Amino acid sequence: QVQVVESGGGLVQPGGSLRLSCAASGNIFTIYTMAWYRQAPGKQRELVASITIGGPTDYADSVKGRFTISRDNAKNTVYLQMNSLKPEDTAVYFCNAEIMNISGLRRLFWGQGTQVTVSS
């Protein structure tokens, strides 16, 4: 059993910052790619940022230069530092993790999401 839990969401004014955290726990041997997605009301879920086990990252064009994804492998945790937030960033942010368990099974897991609201 694997659990993925996001935290750190909240209400922030435009131009402000938030740091999201996502911790995975349970039957984990190795976590490969970890990623953040977001979904705004009435819109499709989109990839925000991803990071591989070795460190290479990828970002959506809309967040480049403002968001930074990082991970702490010892803690099975991925972070998303969000700076210069805009109202368009308002969404539920979901964590996704590609995890291999101790039996060698490699699967994708999703968190429940954390709400980020950017408004005055």
Side-chain angles (χ1 to χ4, degrees):
Q1 185 75 27
V2 172
Q3 185 176 38
V4 178
V5 180
E6 304 97 334
S7 62
L11 175 64
V12 64
Q13 294 190 341
S17 298
L18 284 174
R19 189 182 77 154
L20 305 183
S21 298
C22 170
S25 61
N27 188 353
I28 299 171
F29 183 75
T30 304
I31 301 180
Y32 295 93
T33 300
M34 302 186 80
W36 287 98
Y37 290 76
R38 68 185 181 188
Q39 187 167 22
K43 297 185 178 181
Q44 295 294 313
R45 186 173 298 187
E46 64 173 341
L47 176 66
V48 177
S50 65
I51 183 168
T52 68
I53 187 171
T57 58
D58 188 47
Y59 297 91
D61 289 341
S62 60
V63 307
K64 286 182 179 177
R66 300 187 299 119
F67 291 10
T68 302
I69 189 170
S70 61
R71 63 190 287 171
D72 185 336
N73 292 332
K75 296 181 179 179
N76 290 333
T77 300
V78 63
Y79 306 95
L80 185 67
Q81 179 65 48
M82 304 185 294
N83 299 325
S84 301
L85 283 162
K86 305 175 180 179
E88 309 94 89
D89 296 318
T90 296
V92 177
Y93 284 70
F94 297 90
C95 179
N96 177 265
E98 183 186 15
I99 298 173
M100 177 181 286
N101 65 19
I102 58 175
S103 298
L105 183 62
R106 192 166 169 172
R107 295 282 178 83
L108 297 176
F109 295 89
W110 290 92
Q112 291 293 106
T114 185
Q115 177 71 47
V116 172
T117 302
V118 184
S119 69
S120 300

